[in-house]
């Protein structure tokens, strides 16, 4: 289980990409700390590699 303390006090921006060359099963969402200029430089805080992980993350955010 992820650290819900970090989730409840954090605002995020995210990046994702989709290409025709990627297999259908490939999934990647990178979450970065929010900043007003919407800059996604550096390492992401959280990386979700499949749809189930993303759904779990969203459900944890809703509970807080």
């Amino acid at each position: 289980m992820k650290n819900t303390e970090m989730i409840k006090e954090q605002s995020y921006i995210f990046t994702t990409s989709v290409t025709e060359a990627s297999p259908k099963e490939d999934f990647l969402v990178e979450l970065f700390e929010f900043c007003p200029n919407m800059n996604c430089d550096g390492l992401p805080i959280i990386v979700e590699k499949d749809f189930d992980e993303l759904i779990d993350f969203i459900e944890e955010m809703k509970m807080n």
Side-chain angles (χ1 to χ4, degrees), residues 30-46:
E30 297 176 324
L31 296 154
F32 295 84
E33 184 174 353
F34 176 80
C35 60
N37 66 359
M38 304 296 278
N39 191 356
C40 292
D41 289 341
L43 296 174
I45 295 172
I46 298 171

Side-chain angles (χ1 to χ4, degrees), residues 28-62:
L28 183 68
V29 174
E30 297 176 324
L31 296 154
F32 295 84
E33 184 174 353
F34 176 80
C35 60
N37 66 359
M38 304 296 278
N39 191 356
C40 292
D41 289 341
L43 296 174
I45 295 172
I46 298 171
V47 177
E48 302 298 3
K49 296 179 182 168
D50 64 42
F51 192 69
D52 290 334
E53 285 181 6
L54 181 60
I55 294 300
D56 289 344
F57 175 79
I58 292 169
E59 287 176 350
E60 287 175 20
M61 286 184 65
K62 285 174 135 181

Side-chain angles (χ1 to χ4, degrees), residues 12-32:
Y12 300 97
I13 57 175
F14 71 93
T15 64
T16 190
S17 63
V18 179
T19 65
E20 290 183 34
S22 298
K24 204 174 191 180
E25 296 80 27
D26 280 359
F27 182 90
L28 183 68
V29 174
E30 297 176 324
L31 296 154
F32 295 84

